[in-house]
Amino acid sequence: DGGITQSPKYLFRKEGQNVTLSCEQNLNHDAMYWYRQDPGQGLRLIYYSQIVNDFQKGDIAEGYSVSREKKESFPLTVTSAQKNPTAFYLCASSITGMDGYTFGSGTRLTVV
Amino acid sequence: AQSVTQPDIHITVSEGASLELRCNYSYGATPYLFWYVQSPGQGLQLLLKYFSGDTLVQGIKGFEAEFKRSQSSFNLRKPSVHWSDAAEYFCAVGAGNSGYSTLTFGKGTMLLVSP
């Protein structure tokens, strides 16, 4: 079945370490997105990519980086510059965005 | 820039009763509107979407939503709630150019279903 796979489901890291969250899709979607979810805050856009080798900053890109070397993959790196990295991270993909997103099941990152 | 307001943080409904979740949006042009549902610790699932045409749209799981341009609203309804509907619900508005769109989400409404 087609879908989006995020791994790992839970991730623990020490403060000051960079960490990379994986997102893979086999839906043949052009666009991919990373959102951060905090309790009571809804979803906030970190980065998005409409095509391979191109991506744009979202509303809260500081302290994060991404790459889009393959259509299927859009990994997110949470760097040590991100002041409050503990959150639930959601990856999504779509054909154009206007058709709506398909979401992965998320990665819960805890930094201690 | 577009924005979405979901005025109710929590709503409690008795099983079998009707449900309406409120959503107000701000966007200068014709919006693309969505409702998603999220179970704890999971991703979001699309319930329904509105692009144009009939202002009453039907979705999955017996949900429907009505687009009212004059009120900038896109409220979600269900005539009879089941215990399995307990979850968090997000309204979203899409905006973009060149045929692509990013979605802006509201902060969500947590639905609790009482027996």
Side-chain angles (χ1 to χ4, degrees), chain A residues 33 35 37 96 98-99 101, chain B residues 36 38 43 49 51 101 103:
Chain A
Y33 312 82
Y35 282 85
Q37 185 177 22
T96 66
M98 295 176 178
D99 53 309
Y101 295 173
Chain B
Y36 285 85
Q38 184 182 34
K49 57 190 176 186
F51 292 162
S101 176
L103 298 189

Side-chain angles (χ1 to χ4, degrees), chain A:
Chain A
D1 285 340
I4 297 182
T5 301
Q6 289 188 243
S7 61
K9 190 169 180 65
Y10 299 96
L11 192 54
F12 295 87
R13 279 296 182 268
K14 291 184 178 179
E15 193 171 340
Q17 292 181 334
N18 291 355
V19 59
T20 298
L21 282 59
S22 171
C23 178
E24 303 276 335
Q25 56 101 356
N26 60 3
L27 298 165
N28 200 32
H29 285 171
D30 287 319
M32 297 187 74
Y33 312 82
W34 275 105
Y35 282 85
R36 170 181 171 140
Q37 185 177 22
D38 297 282
Q41 294 297 313
L43 279 71
R44 293 179 290 170
L45 182 64
I46 304 173
Y47 268 98
Y48 64 101
S49 168
Q50 297 171 347
I51 197 168
V52 174
N53 292 323
D54 187 42
F55 48 82
Q56 286 78 41
K57 293 181 178 180
D59 301 319
I60 57 165
E62 185 176 350
Y64 300 97
S65 66
V66 294
S67 62
R68 187 86 186 277
E69 297 177 1
K70 300 185 301 181
K71 186 176 186 177
E72 302 78 17
S73 179
F74 191 42
L76 173 74
T77 297
V78 184
T79 75
S80 58
Q82 168 50 232
K83 295 189 185 334
N84 186 18
T86 294
F88 190 53
Y89 291 87
L90 286 160
C91 179
S93 72
S94 70
I95 299 172
T96 66
M98 295 176 178
D99 53 309
Y101 295 173
T102 300
F103 279 88
S105 57
T107 292
R108 185 166 299 281
L109 173 64
T110 302
V111 176
V112 297

Side-chain angles (χ1 to χ4, degrees), chain B:
Chain B
Q2 66 272 19
S3 66
V4 176
T5 301
Q6 294 181 247
D8 304 304
I9 299 174
H10 297 98
I11 282 186
T12 300
V13 175
S14 299
E15 190 169 14
S18 64
L19 169 70
E20 183 169 29
L21 301 182
R22 296 183 291 164
C23 172
N24 293 98
Y25 69 91
S26 173
Y27 183 57
T30 299
Y32 293 74
L33 294 161
F34 306 84
W35 274 100
Y36 285 85
V37 61
Q38 184 182 34
S39 297
Q42 298 298 315
L44 278 69
Q45 180 183 21
L46 180 64
L47 286 176
L48 47 79
K49 57 190 176 186
Y50 171 78
F51 292 162
S52 63
D54 193 348
T55 57
L56 184 64
V57 293
Q58 303 297 320
I60 62 171
K61 305 185 180 188
F63 286 93
E64 66 179 27
E66 186 171 13
F67 171 61
K68 293 185 177 180
R69 183 186 300 276
S70 61
Q71 299 177 18
S72 297
S73 69
F74 188 57
N75 294 349
L76 182 71
R77 301 194 294 246
K78 187 170 185 178
S80 178
V81 169
H82 187 262
W83 64 267
S84 60
D85 293 324
E88 191 159 21
Y89 292 80
F90 293 92
C91 182
V93 61
N97 50 36
S98 303
Y100 285 90
S101 176
T102 61
L103 298 189
T104 298
F105 288 82
K107 295 186 176 182
T109 297
M110 182 67 73
L111 173 64
L112 306 174
V113 180
S114 61

